[in-house]
Structure formats: C-alpha cells, structure tokens
Amino acid sequence: MAIQTVGVIGAGQMGNGIAHVMALAGYDVILNDISQEALDAAVARIEKNMGRQVGGGKISEDDMTSALARIRATRTLSDVGQADLVIESATERESIKQAIFEDLLPHVKPETILTSNTSSISITRLASRTDRPEKFMGFHFMNPVPVMQLVELIRGIATDEPTFTACKEVVDRLGKTAVSSEDFPAFIVNRILIPMINEAVYTLYEGVGSVQSIDQSLKLGANHPMGPLELADFIGLDTCLAIMNVLHDGLADTKYRPCPLLTKYVEAGWLGRKAQRGFYDYRGETPVPTR
Ligand code: CAA
C-alpha cells in the first residue's frame, strides 16, 4: 500500500519532531493531541526548528512553507482515521497507549499500518490488543528527530513482511537510516543508553562526582556530544525512569534497578528541560547544576 498520509498521535517532544520530518519528506500529516495548547506549542516548535534548518541552509523557505501547509493539527482522534500509517507518540505509559489504540481502531481503514514510537514497551503486547497485530510494529525515532539519523524498526511476533517493508520505505524517504531490533525491553539504543544514564545518576548519588564533573568526563573523555545528566534532562527524567522500570520488570535483573535519586527527581516534578529543572536548572540564562 502506498503511504501518503501519516497520522501522528501525541504532539509532545517526539510527536512534533515526527510531524516535522514527515511533512518535509512530502507526507500529509495529521497531528493529533487531546490538548489544544500542546498542538499550538508543537506547530510553533516545528516552525522554529524548520526556521533553524532554513537558517543553516539545509532546506529552502519554499520547502518550509509547503511542509507547514501539509500539517493539519486536530484534537479529534477520528480525523487520524484518514491516515495510511499511524505513529503513536503519546506519553510512555502502556495504559495510555492501549487506550489510544482502542479509541482509534473504529476509525482506521483496514489496510492502515499502526505503529508506536514507544522507546521500551513490548510491541507484541501493544499489537495483541489491536485487530491487526500483523500490521503493527515499533517505529522509534531519536530526539531531536530532525537531526538524529537513526530510526529503530521493531517487529512484533506477528508483524508481516509487507508492513516492515512499507515502514522501511518511509524511513528511506525521510533520508534516515533504519536498524531492525527484536522486540525485547527497550530494544537496542535504550537498552544500552538508559542504563548508562542510570549509572551516571548512581555516580552522582554516591558522591563520586558532581553533575558538572560527570558530564564533563563523558564529553571530554568519551567524546559524547552531551554529558549523561544533560542528556537525561534532554530526554526527560520521567522517560528515563519509565525505561529503567521496563528493563527491570521485563528482564528481572537487579542490574537494571533505577537509581533512587532518579526516582526522587521525578517525584519532585524535576523532569528535565521540559519542566525547566532536572539535573540542571534552566530558568536562567545558562543551565546551573541542581546538585
Ligand atoms: N530541529 C532542527 N534542527 C536542530 C534541532 C531541532 N530540534 N536541534 C538542533 N538542530 C540543528 C541546529 O540548528 C544545528 O544546525 P547547524 O549545524 O546547521 O547549525 C545543529 O542541529 C547542531 O545543533 P547546535 O549547534 O544547537 O548544538 P549541538 O552541536 O550541541 O547539537 C545535538 C545538538 C544535536 C542535540 C547534540 O548535542 C547531540 O547529538 N546530543 C545527543 C542527542 C542524543 O543522544 N539523542 C538521543 C537521545 S535517546 C532517544 O532519543 C531515544 C529515546 O527513546 C529516549
């Protein structure tokens, strides 16, 4: 089936990036969220980020204008029924994702491919709650979506080959690189990345280093573009904790236990950049470590 219209459910950090790259690649995008405020913020963010790409000479003004015209923002979930491919990118909570697919199913075409941008939840389990496990898979982007080259494609146990091929073709059209991951907790990137971040939080918790020295160590000592605590703030501490919990529960190994300090930051609502506070305080001119 030719994919021309892509439905993106959830207009947060990942959803706006996904809508951005899809529209630039020539897809018609239906961007859905329950909150008008989130939709308005997402469209403003897309305009701002495309503006950066125009400024950097990566796209033209015309590319930006026509891409923006291809994005339709809507609070009505049934509007997503027109999509040929749906990418769910709501909050990383299984009950929310399941409820979204349940509400969406009566509206979608029989041939529509359903995917989730989940960073850790079982694709097979999400798929089993729909009427089309063979047309369901994981479509996992990295943040910031317009910049990062990788997309993880995850087959559930029932995903059929035409579905995988159709999604791979979309990734190719985006000019990104797809890797195929088996459906095990947190897939490939987050299986490796998030325990490293959790270990950085333990390093802070145990007083081995300060926020600054931990981040500087990995930036200058391992050539990472961001230190692990800065990256945790960028990803969102709630997301990092949710992924550690999926690893801990799904693999039943104590090496994945979330650091109590990470839990404490999440309990405080200090979720990172999106909350203006995490391991750094972003409310001033420059980020200031909070410990
Ligand atoms: N949209 C469009 N363009 C963007 C952008 C965005 N959101 N963010 C950055 N850019 C562009 C900038 O405009 C700039 O473009 P030019 O080269 O044309 O000037 C370029 O990207 C580099 O940006 P900056 O100069 O602002 O800053 P930087 O060099 O420090 O790079 C970064 C920023 C790309 C975010 C870099 O710090 C980085 O790669 N960090 C690590 C990101 C990472 O690891 N992401 C994966 C997170 S894990 C994940 O996402 C999976 C999950 O499920 C949790």
Side-chain angles (χ1 to χ4, degrees):
M1 185 186 76
I3 289 169
Q4 184 46 41
T5 303
V6 178
V8 180
I9 303 176
Q13 181 161 279
M14 297 307 287
N16 83 64
I18 298 168
H20 174 138
V21 296
M22 290 291 171
L24 268 183
Y27 293 104
D28 297 318
V29 177
I30 304 164
L31 178 60
N32 166 259
D33 199 289
I34 47 171
S35 151
Q36 188 59 48
E37 208 182 335
L39 286 172
D40 294 344
V43 171
R45 167 69 56 186
I46 293 169
E47 280 185 37
K48 187 170 167 222
N49 285 336
M50 283 189 189
R52 288 168 83 168
Q53 290 177 303
V54 172
K58 296 205 168 68
I59 62 171
S60 69
E61 284 274 1
D62 281 354
D63 294 335
M64 173 167 164
T65 310
S66 47
L68 288 173
R70 278 193 284 272
I71 300 174
R72 179 174 152 218
T74 173
R75 287 185 58 218
T76 311
L77 185 65
S78 57
D79 290 346
V80 179
Q82 298 155 27
D84 307 311
L85 166 69
V86 175
I87 304 178
E88 172 279 317
S89 58
T91 306
E92 190 68 356
R93 210 172 309 146
E94 191 164 342
S95 55
I96 293 178
K97 292 183 185 297
Q98 278 176 353
I100 288 171
F101 284 119
E102 206 171 294
D103 291 347
L104 178 69
L105 280 176
H107 308 289
V108 289
K109 300 180 277 188
E111 65 274 23
T112 298
I113 294 175
L114 301 179
T115 70
S116 173
N117 179 56
T118 177
S119 36
S120 60
I121 297 169
S122 165
I123 296 303
T124 300
R125 205 163 57 231
L126 286 175
S128 73
R129 305 286 290 263
T130 72
D131 61 354
R132 61 193 74 192
E134 70 290 348
K135 289 194 190 324
F136 192 106
M137 60 183 289
F139 206 126
H140 183 218
F141 288 86
M142 308 298 133
N143 187 22
V145 179
V147 179
M148 303 301 281
Q149 276 306 302
L150 187 78
V151 177
E152 281 181 308
L153 292 180
I154 306 107
R155 293 177 177 89
I157 204 164
T159 309
D160 66 18
E161 232 17 62
T163 299
F164 184 87
T165 305
C167 290
K168 168 79 171 57
E169 282 170 8
V170 172
V171 177
D172 291 344
R173 185 161 151 194
L174 296 176
K176 296 193 184 288
T177 302
V179 289
S180 164
S181 166
E182 291 299 320
D183 184 23
F184 288 101
F187 319 127
I188 296 174
V189 171
N190 287 332
R191 170 82 177 258
I192 299 167
L193 184 66
I194 305 297
M196 184 206 67
I197 285 175
N198 193 51
E199 199 58 32
V201 185
Y202 268 113
T203 311
L204 178 68
Y205 178 62
E206 291 170 8
V208 182
S210 65
V211 168
Q212 218 150 22
S213 56
I214 291 166
D215 276 351
Q216 220 164 36
S217 296
L218 271 289
K219 277 203 283 197
L220 303 183
N223 260 5
H224 289 192
M226 284 177 168
L229 300 172
E230 188 188 357
L231 182 58
D233 278 355
F234 184 66
I235 293 169
L237 303 192
D238 50 343
T239 301
C240 292
L241 179 60
I243 297 170
M244 282 313 295
N245 281 326
V246 166
L247 284 166
H248 195 230
D249 296 347
L251 299 168
D253 189 329
T254 53
K255 76 177 174 180
Y256 296 114
R257 67 198 191 282
C259 179
L261 186 60
L262 178 61
T263 306
K264 200 189 286 273
Y265 268 79
V266 173
E267 283 171 351
W270 291 14
L271 306 180
R273 274 203 205 175
K274 63 186 169 191
Q276 299 241 70
R277 236 184 314 187
F279 291 111
Y280 294 85
D281 186 331
Y282 299 91
R283 290 171 301 172
E285 283 267 291
T286 48
V288 179
T290 51
R291 281 179 91 82

